[in-house]
Amino acid sequence: MASDTPVSDIARYVGYAVWGVLLPGTLVFRSLRRTPHTLVEDLVLGAVTGLALELIAWAVLMALGIQSAAILWPLAVVIPFAAVPRLRRHWRPRGYTSPSLGWSWAVAGTVALTTGYLYRVYLARNAILPTSEQSRQFIDLPYQLSLAGNAKHDFPLTLPQVADEPLHYHWFAFVHEAMTSLVGHIDLPVVEMRLMIPALCALTMLVVGVVAWRLTGRPWVGPVAALLIFAIGEFNATDPVSMPFGSPQTTLMVWASVSMTYSQPLLLALIGAIGEGLRSRGADGVPSIGRGVYVLAGLFAFASSAAKATSLPVTLAGLALAGLAVLIGTRRIPWRIVGLGATVAAGQLFSTAVVFRFESYGLKVDPLVNISGYWADPKDVRSAAVHVLIVAATWAAFLLNTQLRVIGAIPLLWRHRFRLDALQWFLLGGAIAGPAVYLTLNGWNSSYFTHTGLAFGVLLSAWGYCEVFERAALTNRAKVALAVGTLVFIGLLTYGIRTYAADWLTFALDFTGVTKPERTTYARLVPFLVAALALAAVAAMCAAGWRAASRWVTSLRGRGGIVLLSLALVAGAPTLLLDLPRPTQGPEVWGAFSLPATKVEAARWIRAHSKPSDVLLTNEHCWYPNDPGAAGEACGNNQAFTLSAFSERSVLIEGWGFAPRAMAAGTGEFWDQDLLKANDDAVYHPTAELLGRLRSGHRVRYLVVNRSVGAESPQLKTLAAPVYDNGRIGVYELH
C-alpha cells in the first residue's frame, strides 16, 4: 500500500500463495517427512515444495492448452489428501517442537530487514508502470517481464523478442511469475514490480532459518546465516556497491535478477535435503526426515535445474568432495552420496539437454581471465618480485572482497582438524566450487557461481560462528556488549566510507605510490587492500591489548576470538547501508534506460486488443539510455524489450541482445539479415506483397512504429489499417 500497490492485488497474491503454493506443497512435504519438527519448517519447506509442484502443474496445463483452468490445479493434491484415509492425517499433524521466542523474533527480524531494504531501494523508487515520458527502468526488468508474459501463453518458452526462437535459458522463475498472474488474476507488472521479489526474499530468509537448524542442531545458526547471506555484502572501502569481481550478491542483484532471487530458496532447500540425506541420523533434537528426503532432493534438484544454471554444478561439486573424503576416510563406496549425486546429475542433464540444449550463453573456459587483468603488465615494465607481489595482492583482494563473510568456517575447520563429516565436506565443497568456477570461466555472468557458493559458505560460516559463540560462554551483559559494539563498529565503518571515501582513495593511492591510476591495472583494488591492512593492524593492536588486560580481568579470557570474528564477519555490512541513499533511477544509474509512458500505453493497448498467437512487428531494436528523439543516440545494444514485455506478445524482431544465440556468437549482429531487412522494409518501404508474406508466413498482425526511431512510410496507411496512435507510437493492423 505504501508503494501504491492495490489492496485487491495484495489480497489476491496472498490467496494465490496459500492456495497455489503453500497448501499443496505443505501437504506433499508432510507426506514425505517421517516425524514433524516445527510448524514453521513444515510451512517453509512446504512452500518450496509447492514451487516445485507449480512447475509440473504449469507444464501439464500448457501442454493440454488449458492454462485458463490453472486455479484448479491444487485440487490434484487437495482431493487425494482429503479422500484417502492414510493421507488425511497430514491436515492436522501433532508433535511439533515450538521454537524459542528469541529465535522467532530473530528470523522475523531478518524478514523485516529484507522487506524494509527492498521498499527503500526498489518498491518506493520504481513505479508499477511508467508515469511520464521521462520515466526510466533498469534494463533487465522489462526483459524478465517479457519472459513471464511468454510463459503465460507458450510451451515451452520462446524468445519474445524474436518470434518462435527457442529460449535456451533458465526460465523457471518466469513460470512462477506467470502462474501467479494466471491463478491470482494479477497484472504481471504488479507481480514483478511489487509482490514477487519481497515474498521470495522473505521465503529465502525462512528457508535459511529452518535448514540451518535442521542440519546443525543449533537453532541460532539460521538467523546468523540469514544475515550473512543478505545483510552482509562484499567488503570494500570506497564504493561497496561497485564490485571489482563480478556482480554484487546483495544490493542491485536482489531485485534486478528475478532468476537469482527465485533460485535461492530452492537451492537452500536442496542443500537441506541433501545435507539431511548425508547424515546417518538427525541432528541433535531434530528428528530425521526419513527416506522421503530422497524424493525431496529430486524435486528440489528438478526445480533448481533451470531456476539458475549455476545451482546444480556447484551442488554436484560439493557432493563430489564429500564422496571423495568419505571414500578416502572409510575406504568404502559412499552409496548415499552416489545416490544423491545421481539425482542431482539427472537434474543437471535435464536442464543441459532439454532446457538449455547445450547452449553456453557465451560462457567459455578461460582460467583467471576475470581477475588477471588486475595484474596485467602490458608494457612489461615490472620486475619479477613486484609482479609476484601484485599477483598475490590481487588474490588477497578477491578473497577479502567476496569471501570475508565465510571466515566463520575457519574456526570450525580448525577445531575439527579437517576431520569433517560428510555434511561438512559437502558444504565446504560447494563453498569452494562457487568462486573456483568463477575463476575458471569468462565473463561477468560467471560471478553467479560465486553467489551460489556463498549459499553453502554462509551455512558453514554461521555454524562455526555459533560454535565459537557457545565456547565463549558469554554472560547476558557480555552478549549485549558484543551486540552493541558490533553495531557501533558497523556504524563507524559506514560513516567513514560514506564521508571520507574520496579522501581515502587519494591517501591509498599515494601510500602505495600509484601516481597514474587510470594507467594502473590494479588501482581499483588498492583502496580496500590498504583498508584491510589498516583494519588488520588495528585488530592486532586491540588483540594485544585484550590479551594484556585479560591477565587482570578474568571475564575477558577466552572471549577475544568471538569479538574479532564478529567484527570480521560484519565488515561488509556497509554495502547494504550505503545502497539505501543511492538512486535507482536517473541517467547516473548504470542500466537505467528510458521508458516513456506512451510506449507502455501502446503495448498494453495491443495486449487488450490482440490474441496471444498474434505476432507484432516493430522498427525499434535498441533500448536507449535516453530518448533517441531528443538525444539522437546511435543504436549500440540491440536490447529493446519494452513492446514484448508490456504487450505479452511475441515480436517478429525486437531486440536480440539477450538472445542465447547472439550471446554465444558475441558479434551483436542479427543472424538472419534477410528477415531483418524485410522487417524494417515493412515500416519504411512497405508493399502489399511484403506485408502479405509477413502476415501469412510469420503470423504478423500488428505493425508498431516508434516514430522517435523513424517515421513510417506514408504508403503504410494505404496498405494497413491505422488502429492506434498516441503521437510517438503508431499501430497498424494487417488483415
Side-chain angles (χ1 to χ4, degrees), residues 325-380:
V326 173
L327 178 62
I328 293 173
T330 65
R331 297 185 181 181
R332 294 180 180 178
I333 297 176
W335 290 112
R336 284 183 299 156
I337 297 178
V338 171
L340 289 166
T343 300
V344 176
Q348 181 64 55
L349 179 62
F350 163 77
S351 63
T352 302
V354 178
V355 179
F356 305 145
R357 296 294 177 94
F358 302 98
E359 185 70 64
S360 67
Y361 218 73
L363 289 177
K364 299 176 182 178
V365 175
D366 196 350
L368 303 183
V369 69
N370 289 323
I371 66 171
S372 59
Y374 290 114
W375 65 63
D377 185 17
K379 295 184 178 180
D380 196 23

Side-chain angles (χ1 to χ4, degrees), residues 114-115 118 122-123 191-192 194-203:
T114 305
T115 307
L118 286 171
Y122 181 48
L123 305 181
V191 177
E192 180 170 292
R194 288 295 180 268
L195 303 173
M196 179 179 175
I197 299 300
L200 288 174
C201 285
L203 179 60

Side-chain angles (χ1 to χ4, degrees), residues 616-621 643 651-653 675-688 690-691 694 700 702-720 728-732 734:
L616 315 181
L617 183 150
T618 184
N619 64 326
E620 183 175 18
H621 308 301
L643 179 59
V651 184
L652 182 64
I653 305 175
L675 183 60
L676 179 60
K677 184 178 185 301
N679 179 96
D680 292 347
D681 282 349
V683 174
Y684 301 125
H685 309 289
T687 65
L690 173 61
L691 296 182
L694 292 171
V700 173
Y702 291 97
L703 278 65
V704 184
V705 182
N706 186 341
R707 298 186 181 113
S708 295
V709 176
E712 69 271 35
S713 166
Q715 292 295 113
L716 187 58
K717 66 175 65 175
T718 67
L719 300 171
R728 177 190 290 267
I729 307 295
V731 180
Y732 296 82
L734 299 179

